Structure formats: structure tokens, C-alpha cells
Amino acid sequence: MISNPRVLGNVRLSILKDDTTSPEKQRAAVEHWAAGPAIDGRIAGWAEELDVSGAMHPFKRPGLGPWFNERADEWDVLAVWKLDRLSRKAGHFAEVFDWCQRHGKVIVSVTEGIDMSTPMGKMFAQIIAAFAEGELDTIRARALSGSAARKAKGVWIGGVEPFGYRFERQEGGGKKLVQDPTYAELFGEIVERLKGDWSSYRIAVDLNQRGIPTWRDHLRILKDEESRGVAWTANAIRAIVMNPTVAGIYTYKGENVVDENGEHVRITDEPLMEFAEWSELVAVLKSDRPVRRSTPSRSMLGGVAICQACGARMSSNKKTKPSGRVHHYYSCNNVNTGTCPNPGRVRRDDLDTAVGSFVKVTLGPLPVMERAGNSISQAKTELAEAEGTLDRLEADYLAGRFKTDVQVERYWGQHEFQSAKVERLREDIKTAEDTPAWKETGRTYLEEWSTKDDEQKRVFLQRHGVTVAVGNTEDGSRRVVVRMPELAEIAEQTGLHVPEGYMWTEPEAEYILPKQRAYKRK
């Protein structure tokens, strides 16, 4: 092992739902290993990839790929929780291992105790990688076998009921999944709130205050078992909404299962949400991942405002005077590290008022516009998958891998199905590209703003791309610049009429706030 290595931690999860392999647990395991006296390394960076399949090539993954292609000189050891976090394909694993060998890098699995700088570690790694690929390859076979039984009997043969569904006994035996009326309605409420600028944290707090049992406790109550009183959490809310089962899609160990034609296998004829609508919502939530906090927000602009001097986020803090009076303020997150040349600091009330004035006065009577949806990006993703399936089918056919009459018959069936899917998706994308990218909500910015609390205002600002930069003037006053670049795009694409006098091409407002007078009062 390299002495005092620079460690690149890789965290991967197919879907954010399994507590035993949560990103936090993976991070903690890698950090514990790197900090151990036998290693004495330091974390050089993280390649975190949530909702990324183990079948995707590591070189092409959004988080890990750049560390191979562009930042190879910044790390020595690639540390993973388990080898299947790196890849579930033996071929992909072999390519990564070969690359690391040629570039003087080491792969380590911290929980399996595999150090690939040793001969024994290399041997075990290759064996485990082969098993990981075997497990991935059996996912479809196992699930499709169960799927065939469900389709034949119209029953569910899985495990515990997914969120929002309950078992309904069939006359011929077996169980079918149908909507649970109470929690199907609750799911709809959660979705509408997420769309309406509620954070997952606030939703969890509200459900706990209302005394609504979690899904597992609800199932226990239905079985006349004692409730465990488990509380709702922000992560639980996100995991429920982002789980494909709410859209009626069958999953196996976090992987979406597809049939022999490449279509998603269904678990019910009555999903809580249609797949297209669910895909759009998930796309929004993924884009909001750095935005929507899982912890309580103490302010309207915490994490929104940035320090103009260094570009760091600003957080809400407080200072208690000897008299007991408490002053709240925003300050640059780098103020304690000494890395900011001129850290920004401003009274919270002053900055909140300035931003509120921008929304109410500068934007006030203008209509709030929202993007028409993310269906086009979903269609493009499905199109790429369908075209890739066609390419693989044709390559296998030309290579002579379909030998029997049955195999050839299935090949032409799959080819016809995927070809029709490609044509349909191309037409859907063309139609979507010809429709407006923005739609009116029927409300003005002033109307929207007046109905929200501080947490909802924070989410609203971030959703609409409003930026708040705080700097210092020569005389010690605070200079605040508020911008909304999104407006220029809306005007250009929709031709929306803007009242005369609005700075539409460069929508921004500048405010000069007084010095820190609050700290001088007695």
C-alpha cells in the first residue's frame, strides 16, 4: 500500500432507499479506513453517485468518470464500501483494474478487506467481481420468472407491500396489489406539497405533528400489531417519492426490471402515479438535491445568499449581547477558516427585506412562469436506451449469437418492438420540442410570495434561479445584488409582454444596506 495515500472515495447507490448501504454509511466506512493508523491517508475527494446503476461503466459515470479522465493526478487510492459499489460487471471491473495498474493506482474495498496492491487481494477481487456480475445477470431472470407468474394469475408474489399498496386476495389464490385508499391519498398530498415549494423536511415535521403513522407502522396497525412509533424523516419522504414502485414499476434490489422487449415490468394496474408524471417529478427533485435541505432551515436566505468576495454560501447565525438581546445575521461560511479575503456579513432582517423588495417590487405584477416539464429529457433517456438495445441486438445477430430457430424468432420480435419504440419516442421528442418550454401558473410573483413562509420562500428562490450576492463597499456598508437570469430566457422564448421600465434583459436590483448598526446598540 502507498504510504499516506490520497484517497478517492466512491459512493454509489442505485436508489436512495436502503439504509444499510446509505451514502452516509458508505462515506463513514471509507473515512474510517482512510484515517486508520495503518493507512494514515487523507480524503482527496468524493465521487458520489445516487440513482446510478452498477451496470453503468465506471469510466462513463457522472461522478467517477472525471476522476479517471481529467483528475487522475489528484488521487492514489480508489476506496469503495464494497466492490459491487464500483461495478457489477466483471468486464468493466477488469478495465478499471487494468487502468489503475497502468497509472499506479490502487483499488481497496474497505468492508471486504480487499487491497488490490497485494496478489491475494487481486485474486479475491476478481472472484467477487464475477459473482457481482452474476447477481446482476440473474436479476432479470428471477424477476421475469415471478413476473410471468403474476401475469398468469394476476397476483403479487413479492414481499412486504410497497408504499401505498395493499394486498387483495384473489378467488383463484394469491394476492394482487391495489391502492391503499388512505395512503394513496397521503401520497398525492405529499406530491402536491413537493410541487408547491414544501421541503421534504417540512412535510416530515407536519406528518409527525399530525400523528400520521409511517407506512410500516400503518401495516402493523392493520395486522393488530403494536405500532413502533417510528417518526417520519426527510430522507424517508424522498425515498418514497423517488421509488419507481409508486409509478407501478417492478424493482429488484434497487434495479428497475424490464421484460424481454426492454419494457418496464408492472406490479399493478393501479399505480399511485403515472410513470411519465413520476419521471418529471423525480427529475425536478434530483435537480433540487443540493437545494432542499433535510435539516431545519433557520432563515429565508441561508444557503441562498453568497459572499461576493469568495463565492461561498452564507449561513444564518446569531450573537447574544451581554444584555441578553439576540442579533441574527448572515455571514460567509469561510469566515472561520480565514480563506475569504473580505467575508460578507449582514443583518438578517436587512437582507431578507432587500430580497423581499426585489420580488414584490421588481417582479411584483409579472406572471410566475414554470417550465412545462421534464418529459422531453425522460423521452431522450428512453430513446438512448432503446437505440442501445437495438445496436446490441444487431451486433449479436451479425456475430451469429442467435443460432436456434427460437432465438432467431425472438430476435426479430425484439427488433420489431424496439424499432417501433424508437420511432414513437422520436415523434414524442419532436412534438415536445415544438411546444412552449414555459407555462403560466396564473399567479403573479407578489401573490405567490405573500402566501409563503420563510422556508417556502427559500425553496421558491432557488427553484427560480434567484441569486443573492453580498459584498462590502469602501465605507463599510453592505452591497447586495439580486438577480433572476431565468426571466430573460422566459421573455425570449415566450414573447411575454413586459411593462415598460422593467430591466428584463438584465433582471437585477442593487441595494446598499447600512453598516452593522444592530451590533452597536445598547
Side-chain angles (χ1 to χ4, degrees), residues 44-98:
W46 291 96
E48 182 171 294
E49 297 163 318
L50 306 183
D51 299 300
V52 174
S53 170
M56 181 179 288
H57 201 300
F59 290 162
K60 298 179 180 179
R61 298 213 304 247
L64 189 57
W67 290 93
F68 291 115
N69 303 321
E70 303 163 12
R71 308 179 65 178
D73 59 344
E74 298 180 26
W75 57 278
D76 305 307
V77 174
L78 174 58
V80 294
W81 183 69
K82 287 186 177 181
L83 285 180
D84 64 3
R85 299 302 91 190
L86 177 58
S87 180
R88 283 187 178 275
K89 286 286 189 181
H92 295 172
F93 181 85
E95 289 183 47
V96 174
F97 174 65
D98 179 67

Side-chain angles (χ1 to χ4, degrees), residues 366-370 439-446 448 460 464:
L366 297 176
V368 177
M369 306 288 285
E370 291 183 350
K439 61 181 179 181
E440 291 194 34
T441 62
R443 302 180 301 276
T444 66
Y445 284 95
L446 179 59
E448 190 78 64
F460 180 79
H464 290 280

Side-chain angles (χ1 to χ4, degrees), residues 20 54 74 266 278 413 451:
T20 60
E74 298 180 26
R266 309 281 295 184
W278 174 80
T451 63

Side-chain angles (χ1 to χ4, degrees), residues 357-369:
S357 177
F358 172 79
V359 176
K360 291 184 287 187
V361 177
T362 304
L363 306 179
L366 297 176
V368 177
M369 306 288 285

Side-chain angles (χ1 to χ4, degrees), residues 247-378:
I249 304 301
Y250 189 83
T251 62
Y252 182 85
K253 292 189 176 181
E255 304 283 350
N256 290 1
V257 179
V258 296
D259 60 23
E260 60 182 10
N261 289 322
E263 289 293 279
H264 291 115
V265 175
R266 309 281 295 184
I267 62 171
T268 178
D269 295 329
E270 302 175 4
L272 301 182
M273 195 174 192
E274 290 302 320
F275 182 75
E277 182 184 2
W278 174 80
S279 297
E280 290 186 14
L281 177 62
V282 169
V284 171
L285 292 178
K286 286 181 178 179
S287 66
D288 284 349
R289 187 175 295 276
V291 171
R292 303 205 178 193
R293 298 180 176 184
S294 58
T295 55
S297 172
R298 296 180 293 174
S299 61
M300 184 176 84
L301 299 174
V304 176
I306 61 172
C307 173
Q308 200 169 45
C310 68
R313 298 287 181 184
M314 300 181 74
S315 299
S316 176
N317 298 281
K318 65 180 180 180
K319 181 177 182 179
T320 304
K321 303 291 286 185
S323 63
R325 187 174 182 177
V326 179
H327 297 291
H328 295 276
Y329 59 94
Y330 295 107
S331 64
C332 171
N333 286 343
N334 286 335
V335 67
N336 295 323
T337 64
T339 56
C340 180
N342 193 9
R345 175 170 167 150
V346 61
R347 287 187 61 200
R348 192 168 80 183
D349 288 346
D350 287 346
L351 189 57
D352 288 354
T353 300
V355 174
S357 177
F358 172 79
V359 176
K360 291 184 287 187
V361 177
T362 304
L363 306 179
L366 297 176
V368 177
M369 306 288 285
E370 291 183 350
R371 292 190 182 275
N374 295 278
S375 57
I376 187 170
S377 59
Q378 177 64 27

Side-chain angles (χ1 to χ4, degrees), residues 7-146:
V7 179
L8 169 61
N10 180 214
V11 173
R12 186 187 66 78
L13 203 61
S14 296
I15 189 167
L16 187 59
K17 70 169 188 175
D18 188 347
D19 182 62
T20 60
T21 59
S22 68
E24 294 77 13
K25 287 185 178 292
Q26 294 185 44
R27 275 178 172 265
V30 171
E31 289 173 343
H32 179 75
W33 173 84
I39 305 300
D40 193 23
R42 66 177 180 85
I43 301 295
W46 291 96
E48 182 171 294
E49 297 163 318
L50 306 183
D51 299 300
V52 174
S53 170
M56 181 179 288
H57 201 300
F59 290 162
K60 298 179 180 179
R61 298 213 304 247
L64 189 57
W67 290 93
F68 291 115
N69 303 321
E70 303 163 12
R71 308 179 65 178
D73 59 344
E74 298 180 26
W75 57 278
D76 305 307
V77 174
L78 174 58
V80 294
W81 183 69
K82 287 186 177 181
L83 285 180
D84 64 3
R85 299 302 91 190
L86 177 58
S87 180
R88 283 187 178 275
K89 286 286 189 181
H92 295 172
F93 181 85
E95 289 183 47
V96 174
F97 174 65
D98 179 67
W99 183 94
C100 288
Q101 287 281 90
R102 288 185 285 105
H103 290 80
K105 312 293 184 182
V106 175
I107 302 174
V108 172
S109 171
V110 299
T111 59
E112 294 166 325
I114 296 176
D115 178 355
M116 295 190 65
S117 64
T118 67
M120 188 65 70
K122 295 175 185 177
M123 181 186 71
F124 277 115
Q126 295 288 356
I127 294 173
I128 290 176
F131 275 110
E133 180 175 18
E135 182 179 11
L136 180 64
D137 289 340
T138 59
I139 287 176
R140 283 185 182 149
R142 292 176 183 174
L144 288 176
S145 175

